[in-house]
Amino acid sequence: MSWLWAIIVGLVLGVLARAILPGKQDIPLWLTAVFGILGSILGNAVAGWIGVEDTKGIDWIRHLLQLAGAVAVVALGDMAWQSFRGSRKQRT
């Protein structure tokens, strides 16, 4: 069941990250979910490094770090996806 939650949270974070980033990100929805999951993992790691991974109540700082991680991963992943798709289109 934890994998299902990871996919759902990753999709939500990925979509939020795409909404925050300016311009249009031309990446598929499945890749948005993957980037959101990776950003969530990155945010959790940063939260652990600074000591806020488990607090009383709602972990707002951890959630903000997860969203920031998702924004960073979606931004970098979109650039990588565009360069991959651009080089792939030129070959055909």
Side-chain angles (χ1 to χ4, degrees):
M1 200 62 162
S2 64
W3 285 103
L4 179 62
W5 277 114
I7 293 169
I8 292 169
V9 169
L11 179 60
V12 169
L13 284 173
V15 169
L16 284 173
R18 285 178 68 170
I20 290 171
L21 288 170
K24 181 172 173 29
Q25 293 76 41
D26 194 22
I27 54 177
L29 190 60
W30 66 269
L31 197 54
T32 301
V34 169
F35 289 160
I37 292 169
L38 292 174
S40 176
I41 292 169
L42 177 65
N44 279 337
V46 171
W49 294 332
I50 64 174
V52 294
E53 75 275 8
D54 190 26
T55 60
K56 294 178 182 169
I58 299 175
D59 296 333
W60 292 110
I61 296 172
R62 181 173 56 97
H63 295 316
L64 288 174
L65 289 170
Q66 287 175 334
L67 182 58
V71 168
V73 172
V74 166
L76 293 173
D78 181 53
M79 287 188 289
W81 179 257
Q82 293 307 320
S83 73
F84 172 72
R85 295 290 291 174
S87 64
R88 193 168 172 203
K89 285 181 183 175
Q90 290 174 356
R91 287 187 206 156
T92 58

